[in-house]
Amino acid sequence: MKRREFMGALGGAGLLLATGSSLAAEYREGQHYQAIQPPLDTGLEEGKIQVVEIFWYGCPHCYAFEPKVQAWKPGLADDVQFEYLPAPMNDVWALHARVYYTAEKLGVLDDVHQAFYDAIHDQGRQLRSESAILRFINQRGLDADEFRETMRSEAIRRRIVEATETVQDYGVSGVPTLVINGEAIVSASMAGGHDEMLEVADYLIERARG
């Protein structure tokens, strides 16, 4: 099922309830979201709509946003493809991006993703060095040697280079940020909060579909 309901307030006026034929809430470019000019090719097949969340594990706002994203994703229609993009904006961010891409490559992202967030924000662990990260991986019951070798591999290095270039192409300077179909970016400061980010994203997905 498509996500069809937008509720909240915009400029003091109630938003419209969107059904199959009624209008979605109107959001203003430059106020609630920023257009990407020119739009970027998502690389997806025709008819597919891409949603990318740009994040950093060490960001408390990303951590607070993550449960909302997890609750929102199951309601996305089949034509929407959700992806994470860890932002390598400095050395520590790049190290954490390596953790994401390594876990993804090794097929252990479900074991690592939320646990890595929790270790930093719930347990107060810094996890800002390879040795600290490998201790975390070992404590998760995973192969730390394999994780280390994969983190250091050329394949992961290339992913970091690509992620850096993509973030720059989007024109994103902060996290968390949602990128809708290579056409627009949405942040909490633009939308008015984390819940509002998802409402604007719903609107932009519907607009991309139309």
Side-chain angles (χ1 to χ4, degrees):
M1 294 292 291
K2 298 176 182 177
R3 300 177 62 86
R4 294 286 187 175
E5 291 190 354
F6 302 89
M7 293 190 297
L10 177 61
L15 300 184
L16 297 175
L17 179 65
T19 65
S21 60
S22 61
L23 295 175
E26 290 188 8
Y27 294 96
R28 295 185 180 90
E29 191 277 325
Q31 180 178 352
H32 303 100
Y33 64 92
Q34 186 67 51
I36 298 173
Q37 296 293 349
L40 301 175
D41 183 9
T42 66
L44 301 181
E45 63 185 85
E46 186 176 355
K48 284 288 188 179
I49 299 168
Q50 182 191 58
V51 176
V52 176
E53 185 200 340
I54 303 176
F55 76 101
W56 170 45
Y57 280 120
C59 168
H61 303 293
C62 297
Y63 182 60
F65 189 46
E66 181 64 12
K68 297 179 183 294
V69 170
Q70 290 300 325
W72 178 71
K73 283 164 54 180
L76 293 172
D78 292 341
D79 63 345
V80 179
Q81 179 169 312
F82 182 92
E83 303 172 16
Y84 285 107
L85 175 60
M89 292 185 179
N90 60 40
D91 289 345
V92 172
W93 289 38
L95 180 64
H96 287 178
R98 284 179 177 269
V99 172
Y100 178 87
Y101 286 126
T102 300
E104 182 181 58
K105 185 173 181 61
L106 295 177
V108 296
L109 195 55
D110 288 346
D111 293 321
V112 171
H113 182 68
Q114 187 63 49
F116 199 73
Y117 260 137
D118 291 341
I120 294 171
H121 298 283
D122 277 357
Q123 301 165 26
R125 298 174 66 173
Q126 293 299 307
L127 299 180
R128 289 172 174 251
S129 68
E130 182 183 89
S131 59
I133 288 166
L134 293 175
R135 283 195 296 274
F136 163 82
I137 292 298
N138 185 62
Q139 290 163 357
R140 296 296 299 167
L142 302 172
D143 188 333
D145 290 336
E146 182 183 33
F147 205 91
R148 180 185 62 247
E149 293 307 310
T150 305
M151 276 185 69
R152 295 177 178 180
S153 69
E154 178 63 19
I156 298 302
R157 187 197 70 80
R158 287 197 302 269
R159 293 299 299 273
I160 298 301
V161 171
E162 292 167 1
T164 301
E165 293 173 348
T166 301
V167 170
Q168 291 172 350
D169 289 344
Y170 286 146
V172 170
S173 59
V175 292
T177 296
L178 293 176
V179 183
I180 311 301
N181 213 38
E183 298 172 347
I185 61 175
V186 185
S187 68
S189 60
M190 294 177 195
H194 289 158
D195 290 327
E196 291 80 2
M197 280 178 72
L198 299 176
E199 292 172 1
V200 176
D202 278 329
Y203 165 73
L204 292 169
I205 289 168
E206 193 65 29
R207 193 181 71 163
R209 187 177 287 125

